[in-house]
């Protein structure tokens, strides 16, 4: 008998909306806190101290230094292979060093007292502009210990975005890593309210230019190291001032895929309601007090922050890593973060898993016919066995031993969110690593809105509504999505919904109805088992010349099955019968791809504009379309290649790794116009 993951509430729904659905065990009451009666984030840490005082909770690795290596790289120049020497720099790291619950409570209590000694008061705002680290989280909890609000800014946010966040939020304290000091020094004359600057640095020191930047910042602000603030608190102790559940915890700035980032006001109770809801069903899959999660995604992103808080509350150890030091290939004289930590749980956005999948399959495809056949058949077989609850782990030591060892060998499940994950990626991860669960959330909902269970073997859905919310789908008539067909815009309601946008009541009213329903802007559909499937973003539905709509994000997820591409931006408008796309291929890999395809070139810089190479990539993408049963109107008619790797640093991606469509299209305007001419479109 099929499992039912959510249930419709009796006497709900209407002509233009589906019945309201809740998690199947929470139909009578929405979860509004974490047990026992925990409604603020700092209380989650205190609960850990009360129940597991000597258990390790927060782990970090010290950077001991850097190792520089010369590498010989071959390039084809004017038709001839030439060898060039390049220098590569790698970090050397210590083993993980852990802080217990009692130590974390003592440290954050003293840090909060240090902030108070500096003159910072309850409800004042502390901005954190730093990479994910133990220091990031200790600063946040130090602020919470005195009812201060934390303003988050991605450490990759540009100067204008950082300045906007600081001034709009009227920040009193800026907390950052020493590496970010030169950015602060460049904008300091435009900052309006900051009075204090607190920084930390790696054990081995700081990059060039940081000391000079610190000296410049000292001419305007009171500047402290993190340890100096801690010592201030030790010498000037004060009672903790724990916030109430209804108090604002975070001013979390969205990653800004369009326009200036918005300040989202998130309450303490909102975060803990999600934690309590998740604990209701995830607890049986976790060994609390023992299991470990690797935290490396930006803590300025709501998913990473919420998961950290849940882990601290529930007894899961949090070990911090960085994207640059995850694997053995990216460090020297030590193991990468994954092998050193050997986590049981790990998070990632689809771009991370797409990259891992591409790396796996390239190795498999370079193997013998027998190995390829064995691997692909094993992936299918393991997923089938798992879907029927039949034994399948015996395959791990036969076929998937190397892939599991690469991630430490102890993963119980991995979490993906931020955008839809392709079915084939999820199938591969389920088989080669461990079960992948897909979640759906947004900053305005304090974290997760829905998530799959680890033993859910279905695909193309994001699970049932979390026990902390209720959910319904509402008609989008202009795109022909109707509630009577089980489709529509996803609306959610519950205690985890945000308290509004900072200084923007008009946008708040547009986003949240008077009776508390948050309009997510995502289009969803219910499965027969009560799971939610994300069809696309409302703003990314595009009407073609035929009058039919296509879903850009869904198409991009499908086309990422191609091993040629690193990323893709599908483009369409009402003049087109079929879409086109800007395809991103890493310029470090493009020459190898051309060689494998047997395409001649004199210089690697020519490959991205080579008509033969473009045709080969387009043919592969059209093959992917056929394999995934896309219609003609969803099949790409033309592509052009951008060989500069898209990233937050060059403004092609948000810090959450989502496409910045406008920036990508503006940068590639000449390529787009070339495609339009090829497709016979009139230029306007």
């Amino acid at each position: 008998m099929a499992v039912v993951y959510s249930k419709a509430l009796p006497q709900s729904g209407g002509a233009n909306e589906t019945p309201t659905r809740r998690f199947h065990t929470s139909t009578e009451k929405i979860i509004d806190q974490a047990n026992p009666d925990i409604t603020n984030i700092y209380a989650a840490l205190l609960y850990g101290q009360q129940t597991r005082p000597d258990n390790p909770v927060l782990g970090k690795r010290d950077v001991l230094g850097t190792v520089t290596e010369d590498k010989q790289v071959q390039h084809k120049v004017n038709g001839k292979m030439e060898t060039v020497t390049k220098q590569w720099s790698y970090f050397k790291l210590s083993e993980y060093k852990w802080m217990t619950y009692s130590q974390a409570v003592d440290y954050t209590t003293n840090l909060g007292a240090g902030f108070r000694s500096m003159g910072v008061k309850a409800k004042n705002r502390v901005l954190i502009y730093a990479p994910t680290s133990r220091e990031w989280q200790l600063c946040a909890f130090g602020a919470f210990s005195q009812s201060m609000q934390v303003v988050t800014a991605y450490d990759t946010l540009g100067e204008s975005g950082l300045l906007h966040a600081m001034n709009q939020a009227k920040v009193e304290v800026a907390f950052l890593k020493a590496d970010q000091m030169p950015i602060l020094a460049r904008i300091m004359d435009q900052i309006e309210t900051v009075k204090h600057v607190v920084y930390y640095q790696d054990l081995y020191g700081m990059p060039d230019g940081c000391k000079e930047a610190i000296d410049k910042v000292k001419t305007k602000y009171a500047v402290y190291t993190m340890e100096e603030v801690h010592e201030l608190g030790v010498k000037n102790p004060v009672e903790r001032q724990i916030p109430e559940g209804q108090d604002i915890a975070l001013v979390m700035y969205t990653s800004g895929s369009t326009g200036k980032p918005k300040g989202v006001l998130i309450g303490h109770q909102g975060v803990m309601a999600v934690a309590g809801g998740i604990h209701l069903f995830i607890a049986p899959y976790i060994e609390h007090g023992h299991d470990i999660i690797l935290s490396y995604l930006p803590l300025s992103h709501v998913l990473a922050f919420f998961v950290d808080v849940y882990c601290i509350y529930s007894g899961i150890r949090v070990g911090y890593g960085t994207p640059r030091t995850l694997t053995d290939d990216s460090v020297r004289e030590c193991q990468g973060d994954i092998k050193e930590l050997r986590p049981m749980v790990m998070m990632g956005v689809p771009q991370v898993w797409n990259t891992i999948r591409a790396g796996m399959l390239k190795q498999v495809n370079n193997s013998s016919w027998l190995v390829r056949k064995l691997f692909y058949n094993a992936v299918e077989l393991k997923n089938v066995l798992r879907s029927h609850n039949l034994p399948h782990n015996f395959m791990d030591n036969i076929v998937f031993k190397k892939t599991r060892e690469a991630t430490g060998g102890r993963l119980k499940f991995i979490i993906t969110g931020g955008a839809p994950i392709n079915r084939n990626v999820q199938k591969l991860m389920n088989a080669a690593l461990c079960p992948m669960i897909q979640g759906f959330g947004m900053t305005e909902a304090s974290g997760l809105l829905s998530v799959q269970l680890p033993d859910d073997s279905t695909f193309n859905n994001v699970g049932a509504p979390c026990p902390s919310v209720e959910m319904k789908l509402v008609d989008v008539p202009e795109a022909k999505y109707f509630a009577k067909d089980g489709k529509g815009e996803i609306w959610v309601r519950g205690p985890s919904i945000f308290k509004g946008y900072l200084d923007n009541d008009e946008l708040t009213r547009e986003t949240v109805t008077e009776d508390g329903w948050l309009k997510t802007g995502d289009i969803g559909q219910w499965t027969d088992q009560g799971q939610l499937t994300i069809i696309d973003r409302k703003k990314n539905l595009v009407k073609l010349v035929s009058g039919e709509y296509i879903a850009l994000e869904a198409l991009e997820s499908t086309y990422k099955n191609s091993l040629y591409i690193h990323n893709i931006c599908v483009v369409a408008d009402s003049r087109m019968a079929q879409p086109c796309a800007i395809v991103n291929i890493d310029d470090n890999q493009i020459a190898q791809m051309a060689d494998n395809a047997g395409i001649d070139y004199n210089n690697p810089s020519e490959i991205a504009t080579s008509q033969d190479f473009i045709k080969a990539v387009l043919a592969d993408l059209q093959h992917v379309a056929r394999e995934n049963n896309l219609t003609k109107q969803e099949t790409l008619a033309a592509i052009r290649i951008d060989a500069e790797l898209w990233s937050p640093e060059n403004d092609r991606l948000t810090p959450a790794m989502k496409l910045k469509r406008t920036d990508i299209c503006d940068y590639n305007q000449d390529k787009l116009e070339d495609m339009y001419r090829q497709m016979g479109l009139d230029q306007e």
Side-chain angles (χ1 to χ4, degrees), residues 569-611:
C569 179
V570 176
V571 178
D573 61 38
S574 59
R575 301 171 298 162
M576 299 180 182
Q578 293 174 257
C580 59
I582 300 295
V583 172
N584 191 216
I585 300 178
D586 188 348
D587 60 359
N588 291 319
Q589 300 176 8
I590 196 168
Q592 183 64 51
M593 291 179 178
D595 291 341
N596 291 343
I599 293 170
D600 292 329
Y601 60 93
N602 289 321
N603 192 298
S605 62
E606 302 172 0
I607 300 172
T609 57
S610 162
Q611 289 303 308

Side-chain angles (χ1 to χ4, degrees), residues 5 22-26 29-35 38 269-285 306 310 313-314 445-446 448-453 464-470 495-496:
Y5 293 95
R22 293 182 180 176
F23 189 72
H24 69 100
T25 63
S26 302
K29 182 180 183 297
I30 290 176
I31 302 299
D32 61 0
Q33 63 183 25
N35 287 330
I38 297 173
Q269 186 169 0
V271 176
M272 296 317 300
V274 183
I278 295 299
H279 196 65
L280 192 68
F281 61 81
I282 207 72
Y285 304 97
F306 155 73
Y310 172 72
Y313 156 70
S314 65
S446 308
L448 286 174
L449 286 167
S450 69
V451 67
Q452 290 181 297
L453 302 186
C466 290
S468 51
V469 296
E470 56 186 3
S496 61

Side-chain angles (χ1 to χ4, degrees), residues 220-355:
K220 182 176 181 180
Y221 305 109
V223 178
Y224 308 82
T225 66
M226 187 177 188
E227 290 310 310
E228 286 171 345
V229 177
H230 178 263
E231 285 303 309
L232 270 177
V234 171
K235 294 175 182 177
N236 301 278
V238 293
E239 290 291 319
R240 287 191 293 263
Q241 192 171 341
I242 306 300
E244 299 292 331
Q246 68 269 20
D247 289 343
I248 291 171
L250 302 163
V251 182
M252 186 164 272
Y253 279 87
T254 59
S255 53
S257 58
T258 56
K260 287 184 178 180
K262 302 183 292 289
V264 179
L265 302 175
I266 298 176
H268 278 272
Q269 186 169 0
V271 176
M272 296 317 300
V274 183
I278 295 299
H279 196 65
L280 192 68
F281 61 81
I282 207 72
Y285 304 97
I286 292 294
E287 189 176 345
H288 300 280
H290 173 264
D291 283 356
I292 305 171
I293 189 170
L294 174 60
S295 179
Y296 68 97
L297 294 178
L299 283 169
S300 296
H301 189 283
V302 69
L303 175 63
F305 178 81
F306 155 73
V307 170
D308 261 28
V309 170
Y310 172 72
C311 291
I312 291 167
Y313 156 70
S314 65
I316 301 171
R317 287 192 276 171
V318 182
Y320 292 99
T322 72
R324 187 176 173 182
T325 58
L326 287 181
T327 66
D328 291 356
D329 291 339
S330 55
V331 295
R332 289 296 181 267
E333 300 176 30
C334 62
Q335 294 189 116
D337 299 329
I338 298 176
K339 278 194 177 179
E340 182 68 25
L341 189 64
R342 301 182 65 224
M344 290 76 170
V345 185
M346 186 173 166
M347 288 188 301
V349 293
Q351 191 60 44
V352 170
W353 307 120
N354 291 336
T355 301

Side-chain angles (χ1 to χ4, degrees), residues 466-502:
C466 290
S468 51
V469 296
E470 56 186 3
M471 192 176 291
K472 65 182 179 182
L473 307 180
V474 179
D475 284 354
V476 186
E478 64 274 19
K480 299 181 181 178
Y481 289 119
F482 297 103
K484 63 183 177 61
D485 302 319
K487 300 177 182 179
E489 183 182 5
I490 303 164
W491 288 20
V492 294
R493 183 168 65 178
S496 61
I497 303 307
F498 76 130
K499 294 180 175 293
Y501 295 108
L502 181 63

